[in-house]
Amino acid sequence: DISKQLDFVQTQAETTWKGLPSLTRYPDATEPVGDDWQWHYVSAGGWTCGFYASMLWKLSEVYKNSAWSSRAASLIEGIRKIENDTGTHDVGFMVFYTFGHGYLLTQNEDYKKVTLTAAKSLSTRYNKVVGCIESWNAPKGHFYVIIDNMMNLELLWWAAANGGESVFHDMAVSHADNMIRDCIKPDGSSYHLVDYDPDTGKVISNTPQGKTGGVWARGEAWAIYGFTIAYKYTKFERYLDTAIKCANYFISHLPPDHVPYWDFFAPHNESRDSSAAAIAASGLIDLSQYVNATLSATYMNAANAMLSSLSSEAYLADPKTSPAVLLHATGSYPSNSDIDVSLSYGGYYYTEALIKLSKK
């Protein structure tokens, strides 16, 4: 029951709101306190800082409740300064999901201006020789691009179509084309990171997030969603073909309950990643609009199966002990960071997917 699940999200969002230490501290991941869970918070600039506010924009859309939109508006003010941050590719997640989503809901011209400024900042990370936006700041002689960055390209595509520079579109196209060539394997699985030589554009190495020869589940989810977004903005068939390949890989490697382990090759005593399932489900619902009827049914069935599992007692947080939405997510297993916790972005993409489903 979608309305019941969205009511649950609203309850958890309310609990989270009441627990905020200030309007400039943003829920990131949960941490245990005795038998209960509490949020660990980040400041503006932490890549996850915008997801809770974006969830509130989504709730305001569903419930037509001005309280949620005014809360979202008050939360994003602390993130405004990130419009000028040229030091990270995640300006896409941080600004497009807050000011961009806010603009789409409210048509507030100020939000649009911030979003366009952020696109300009992101464009400064483009290297013409490599043909990509730099994801992480790399040591001399290296240029790092991660699969997650496909999601941040939306800021450039949207900006180019909404009053920003047309070159933003071209940068995003070049980046996505390089990812098809260097980050997506023939079977549709993905590497996490491609390391380029910034002076020649040649690939130095492609690496997974953790397991040698493994496939990071959330990275594969970013690929499904990221290439679906690429197709939405460009209508280039190569992006649709890539999204389909990645989707088919993801779906065919899921365990029986449809929620992946953090890596598709991880032993089954290691942790799940509910956030990967939520991201993939949301991406698959979008992808289902662009494919033939058979594939569309396959992708909707898979999204429904993942959301149904995430909506079960096995994965939903208990309001008595946690302010979050989904349990059993994994931040970074190789770094031993945020293992088997709740993640703010898992909750966000779960909410987004449910809303999309409700409109079907």
Side-chain angles (χ1 to χ4, degrees):
D1 180 353
I2 295 172
S3 60
K4 186 175 149 211
Q5 303 314 335
L6 286 170
D7 286 347
F8 168 75
V9 170
Q10 183 170 231
T11 298
Q12 298 304 82
E14 182 69 42
T15 304
T16 295
W17 177 260
K18 287 176 178 159
L20 289 178
S22 78
L23 290 175
T24 54
R25 301 289 289 160
Y26 306 99
D28 169 43
T30 54
E31 51 195 13
V33 180
D35 293 333
D36 295 347
W37 295 91
Q38 68 179 22
W39 283 115
H40 167 263
Y41 300 93
V42 292
S43 300
W47 79 272
T48 58
C49 67
F51 288 108
Y52 174 63
S54 195
M55 181 194 275
L56 301 193
W57 285 131
K58 290 286 174 205
L59 289 174
S60 76
E61 185 190 340
V62 173
Y63 291 98
K64 307 288 184 269
N65 181 339
S66 61
W68 287 123
S69 53
S70 62
R71 286 170 175 183
S74 64
L75 268 179
I76 68 175
E77 280 310 311
I79 297 170
R80 178 182 289 268
K81 63 187 176 191
I82 303 298
E83 68 179 342
N84 297 310
D85 189 345
T86 57
T88 171
H89 70 120
D90 284 321
V91 65
F93 281 132
M94 292 188 278
V95 177
F96 191 69
Y97 276 56
T98 51
F99 287 89
H101 287 189
Y103 173 70
L104 294 174
L105 271 174
T106 66
Q107 299 299 295
N108 179 330
E109 284 297 318
D110 171 51
Y111 291 175
K112 181 181 183 180
K113 195 162 147 283
V114 173
T115 308
L116 292 175
T117 303
K120 180 74 178 166
S121 297
L122 181 57
S123 74
T124 66
R125 299 183 66 77
Y126 185 76
N127 175 314
K128 280 193 178 122
V129 179
V130 176
C132 282
I133 298 280
E134 186 173 35
S135 304
W136 296 336
N137 301 321
K140 194 168 167 47
H142 297 268
F143 188 95
Y144 294 156
V145 183
I146 59 173
I147 191 64
D148 325 33
N149 202 331
M150 283 301 302
M151 298 295 288
N152 289 313
L153 299 183
E154 183 168 21
L155 174 60
L156 296 176
W157 273 311
W158 185 88
N162 288 277
E165 296 172 40
S166 61
V167 70
F168 296 166
H169 176 96
D170 304 335
M171 289 173 176
V173 166
S174 172
H175 183 112
D177 287 349
N178 279 13
M179 290 294 93
I180 293 175
R181 186 188 68 206
D182 302 325
C183 203
I184 306 299
K185 301 177 217 173
D187 64 358
S189 66
S190 54
Y191 293 107
H192 180 213
L193 180 145
V194 183
D195 180 9
Y196 292 97
D197 181 319
D199 302 314
T200 66
K202 289 199 163 56
V203 174
I204 297 169
S205 63
N206 335 58
T207 51
Q209 197 198 48
K211 302 274 165 206
T212 307
V215 177
W216 179 42
R218 190 163 63 248
E220 193 69 5
W222 292 137
I224 295 168
Y225 205 154
F227 280 105
T228 301
I229 289 169
Y231 180 71
K232 174 182 142 185
Y233 283 95
T234 66
K235 292 298 183 271
F236 292 159
E237 288 294 325
R238 61 187 181 271
Y239 298 154
L240 183 59
D241 293 343
T242 305
I244 289 168
K245 269 172 72 172
C246 295
N248 293 348
Y249 185 92
F250 191 99
I251 292 166
S252 65
H253 288 76
L254 286 172
D257 76 347
H258 309 285
V259 178
Y261 290 85
W262 73 273
D263 187 289
F264 285 114
F265 288 79
H268 289 185
N269 60 348
E270 291 183 2
S271 57
R272 304 279 188 147
D273 187 11
S274 58
S275 77
I279 294 160
S282 192
L284 285 168
I285 294 168
D286 287 355
L287 182 55
S288 73
Q289 303 168 72
Y290 303 126
V291 295
N292 66 43
T294 309
L295 267 185
S296 183
T298 300
Y299 294 159
M300 285 306 298
N301 287 342
N304 273 307
M306 282 187 262
L307 290 169
S308 175
S309 205
L310 293 176
S311 301
S312 70
E313 279 183 11
Y315 288 97
L316 276 191
D318 179 348
K320 294 192 207 64
T321 57
S322 171
V325 175
L326 296 178
L327 302 171
H328 308 311
T330 300
S332 174
Y333 197 91
S335 313
N336 197 28
S337 166
D338 296 330
I339 311 289
D340 199 14
V341 296
S342 300
L343 297 169
S344 59
Y345 48 96
Y348 167 77
Y349 286 105
Y350 173 75
T351 307
E352 183 189 81
L354 288 174
I355 292 169
K356 288 175 185 174
L357 210 53
S358 72
K359 294 174 178 173
K360 281 283 179 193

